Amino acid sequence: AEAAAAAAAPKRYHYPDRNVSMKEVGMGLGVLRLRAALLAFIVVPLVAALAARYALSSAELQALVASFRAMSPPPSSGAVLPLAMLVSGVVLVVLAVTVYWVRQPYPVYLIDFDVHQPPDRQKISRRAFIEKSRAVGCFTDEALAFQEKLLYRTGVGDESYFPAPLFETPPDQSMQGARDEAMAVMSDVFEGVMAKTGVTPLDIDILIVNCSLFNPTPSHCSMLINKYKMRSDIKSYNLAGMGCSAGVIAVDLARDLLQAHRSKTCLIISYENITRNWYTGSRKSMLLQNTLFRLGGAGILLSNRNRDYWFGRAKYELLATVRVHKGQSDDAYRAVYETEDDTGRRGVDLSRKLLNAVGDALKSNMTLLGPLVLPYSEQAWFLVVLAARKVLGKHAVKPYIPNFKRAFDHYCIHAGGRAVIDGLQENLGLSDYDVQPSRATLYRYGNTSSSSVWYELMFTERAGRMHRGDVVWQIAIGSGIKCNSAVWRSLKRLESSGADDIAAAASRQQQQQQQQQP
């Protein structure tokens, strides 16, 4: 009976780890220290100026002004010091405000985005996946049974997509097949963004493409520049090998570039190539990628032009980005590792220590992100509890995880698998409603790697959940291990187009499928 009860109990995911690094806390609070210094630089001279103003009577102030106009000595030597304080205070306030205004970064706006929607002929159900794998003839019966078991546990449904070259007999895993997949995805989202925004290829100043596992020569950027005859002075960047969090990394890179170049537009293409990375061996730790990763991609248009905000073209404003890299740890470094198995077949090995590495990276990311987004009351309570645990001991005081629900209205959690979503939901205290976009995206499209957070944002918009002023947290986790966050504020209300019904239906169907799993 005890064994049956234990089996029926829901699995608990103990991450992020409750023990935080004081060094990371200090790095996060550095933002607060900078804000306090700027505030003091403005407030102190202002207070001095006000004090000097009220230290002078009206008659004294008028006499001083008259003496300055006549270029004669002031009538009262006792009024010189308050006058000097008044003038210097006003000058310092003006100087501080000017410096603060000049040092403010250019705002970064998201004009619009589009996600890849492959044709229905590329849908692959779980049954079709097993039949396709069996027909290839390279998998053992044990490997096929293991993949079939995983298919009903990863959270991926029956309507995700595979690239066209893998539907051929035998599957085409050639360089040309991978190029065809890349161009199909990139062209679709490129033209989708152009159609939504009215921008032309010649209007693009910066082009960023991220793809981890396929890096041809010429590059992805060159493929697009050649096809759409973009400008010769375009600044292009290819991000490779950075895993499922590369989409947020691309946003962070775009933000830095848009700070250095005024009045520019930046197009990001975020996708992962499946054709050359379908594993055909029998190592169990490498078979998981077959059952989880699916075809997808996204195109995102960013701008730092003020007119995009004032004329209502922009949908979101970027508030913050935070990047964390845990490659210093050997366990984290090898948690997602591209290699060959004993027979020389290439694939991505997913370690058993993956969730532990994810938890550690997530904890660090949240520690750095908190001071940027959390209310001061939450930050103060977190510091009080942290100090108490240091003084009284970790066992005497329960850890306190700040309530990030007070900072965010919507969550786009990387659809890396059911365990990743379950763990974040449990440890952040999120509701089923909060994680519904992530679960629906995983079920409908599978793990589309770096573009998954954009499918989730699409679901949120189409469900009619997005209102003006809402704050969105995109959080993605990738090989390395890296954990990266992007925080956006909505600039307009977006009307519903029925995605909530799709998400609810996907959730119900997923539960039914899990009950029927072998």
Side-chain angles (χ1 to χ4, degrees):
E2 293 179 358
K11 184 175 181 179
R12 297 186 62 82
Y13 298 88
H14 298 288
Y15 72 87
D17 190 333
R18 271 40 175 196
N19 299 320
V20 298
S21 165
M22 290 303 298
K23 181 179 179 180
E24 291 172 350
V25 171
M27 291 169 61
L29 293 180
V31 177
L32 296 182
R33 289 196 293 268
L34 179 60
R35 290 176 180 174
L38 290 172
L39 185 63
F41 193 53
I42 295 174
V43 171
V44 171
L46 183 61
V47 171
L50 291 175
R53 166 65 184 86
Y54 287 105
L56 295 171
S57 66
S58 298
E60 288 176 325
L61 187 60
Q62 292 175 2
L64 285 170
V65 172
S67 67
F68 273 107
R69 287 178 176 176
M71 298 300 292
S72 61
S76 172
S77 60
V80 173
L81 180 60
L83 178 65
M85 292 176 59
L86 177 62
V87 174
S88 61
V90 170
V91 170
L92 286 175
V93 169
V94 172
L95 178 63
V97 171
T98 302
V99 171
Y100 177 78
W101 180 262
V102 170
R103 290 181 61 87
Q104 283 296 295
Y106 298 131
V108 175
Y109 303 112
L110 193 162
I111 308 304
D112 214 330
F113 68 97
D114 192 46
V115 297
H116 180 48
Q117 188 70 42
D120 288 345
R121 65 177 179 274
Q122 291 182 226
K123 285 184 178 179
I124 185 162
S125 66
R126 284 170 284 199
R127 183 181 297 277
F129 176 87
I130 293 299
E131 293 175 353
K132 179 70 176 176
S133 300
R134 182 176 288 110
V136 171
C138 58
F139 295 104
T140 64
D141 291 340
E142 183 181 3
L144 288 170
F146 182 70
Q147 290 184 89
E148 185 174 13
K149 182 179 179 180
L150 287 177
L151 284 170
Y152 290 90
R153 295 186 176 183
T154 57
V156 180
D158 286 325
E159 296 188 350
S160 59
Y161 300 91
F162 246 28
L166 294 185
F167 281 94
E168 297 181 13
T169 304
D172 178 12
Q173 292 188 276
S174 66
M175 175 67 77
Q176 186 57 49
R179 285 183 182 274
D180 292 342
E181 176 194 347
M183 187 54 73
V185 175
M186 293 193 300
S187 297
D188 182 46
V189 296
F190 188 103
E191 294 170 8
V193 169
M194 298 298 106
K196 285 185 174 182
T197 61
V199 172
T200 70
L202 295 177
D203 295 326
I204 304 300
D205 302 294
I206 302 169
L207 176 64
I208 302 174
V209 179
N210 70 265
C211 178
S212 291
L213 296 173
F214 177 59
N215 301 286
T217 300
S219 67
H220 288 94
C221 284
S222 297
M223 295 166 67
L224 290 172
I225 292 170
N226 175 262
K227 178 174 181 178
Y228 294 102
K229 310 305 177 186
M230 303 173 80
R231 301 201 321 255
S232 60
D233 63 342
I234 190 170
K235 293 176 171 58
S236 61
Y237 301 84
N238 286 274
L239 302 182
M242 306 196 79
C244 298
S245 65
V248 179
I249 294 175
V251 170
D252 182 70
L253 173 61
R255 184 201 62 174
D256 291 343
L257 292 170
L258 290 172
Q259 297 309 310
H261 304 282
R262 192 167 186 175
S263 190
K264 302 296 182 183
T265 57
C266 174
L267 178 65
I268 298 173
I269 304 293
S270 183
Y271 95 105
E272 188 54 83
N273 196 286
I274 306 297
T275 297
R276 289 176 63 84
N277 297 286
W278 187 40
Y279 175 62
T280 56
S282 298
R283 183 185 292 182
K284 289 185 176 180
S285 59
M286 299 171 73
L287 286 169
L288 178 59
Q289 70 173 80
N290 288 356
T291 63
L292 191 58
F293 289 96
R294 294 293 184 266
L295 179 65
I300 306 99
L301 185 66
L302 304 179
S303 165
N304 60 2
R305 300 178 302 189
N306 289 326
R307 62 178 179 270
D308 289 328
Y309 172 79
W310 292 112
F311 289 98
R313 294 185 67 236
K315 294 174 72 173
Y316 301 93
E317 180 181 0
L318 182 62
L319 300 183
T321 58
V322 172
R323 292 173 56 181
V324 168
H325 202 308
K326 289 296 182 177
Q328 307 85 2
S329 165
D330 290 341
D331 289 343
Y333 175 71
R334 297 192 67 92
V336 182
Y337 198 80
E338 186 178 13
T339 184
E340 294 101 8
D341 63 12
D342 298 336
T343 64
R345 289 190 165 106
R346 183 170 57 88
V348 176
D349 191 296
L350 302 179
S351 167
R352 291 181 178 272
K353 297 181 179 180
L354 174 59
L355 286 183
N356 291 334
V358 167
D360 188 40
L362 176 63
K363 174 191 64 179
S364 299
N365 191 282
M366 291 168 60
T367 303
L368 296 175
L369 181 65
L372 298 174
V373 297
L374 285 172
Y376 291 124
S377 58
E378 282 292 319
Q379 298 183 49
W381 186 242
F382 170 77
L383 292 176
V384 168
V385 173
L386 182 63
R389 282 169 61 82
K390 293 294 181 183
V391 174
L392 303 177
K394 297 176 181 178
H395 299 290
V397 180
K398 292 183 178 181
Y400 177 72
I401 296 180
N403 183 9
F404 278 81
K405 295 185 71 172
R406 295 188 61 187
F408 305 118
D409 301 291
H410 309 285
Y411 303 84
C412 296
I413 299 169
H414 167 54
R418 195 175 68 184
V420 173
I421 300 173
D422 287 348
L424 281 168
Q425 179 181 7
E426 178 181 330
N427 285 270
L428 294 178
L430 303 179
S431 66
D432 291 339
Y433 179 87
D434 293 328
V435 299
Q436 190 180 49
S438 301
R439 293 195 189 281
T441 296
L442 178 64
Y443 185 82
R444 177 64 178 81
Y445 294 98
N447 181 349
T448 60
S449 189
S450 56
S451 64
S452 68
V453 293
W454 298 104
Y455 283 92
E456 292 158 13
L457 185 58
M458 176 197 69
F459 268 110
T460 303
E461 287 185 358
R462 292 184 178 179
R465 301 183 182 186
M466 193 67 67
H467 299 80
R468 181 181 176 86
D470 284 0
V471 179
V472 185
W473 182 18
Q474 290 182 322
I475 182 163
I477 301 159
S479 58
I481 289 289
K482 297 179 289 294
C483 182
N484 305 309
S485 293
V487 181
W488 304 89
R489 179 174 59 218
S490 175
L491 300 177
K492 59 179 67 174
R493 175 182 172 83
L494 301 173
E495 299 298 331
S496 171
S497 62
D500 209 27
D501 296 336
I502 297 173
S507 179
R508 290 193 300 270
Q509 186 176 1
Q510 182 179 5
Q511 293 175 1
Q512 295 172 2
Q513 295 282 0
Q514 289 171 3
Q515 294 173 359
Q516 299 170 1
Q517 68 183 29

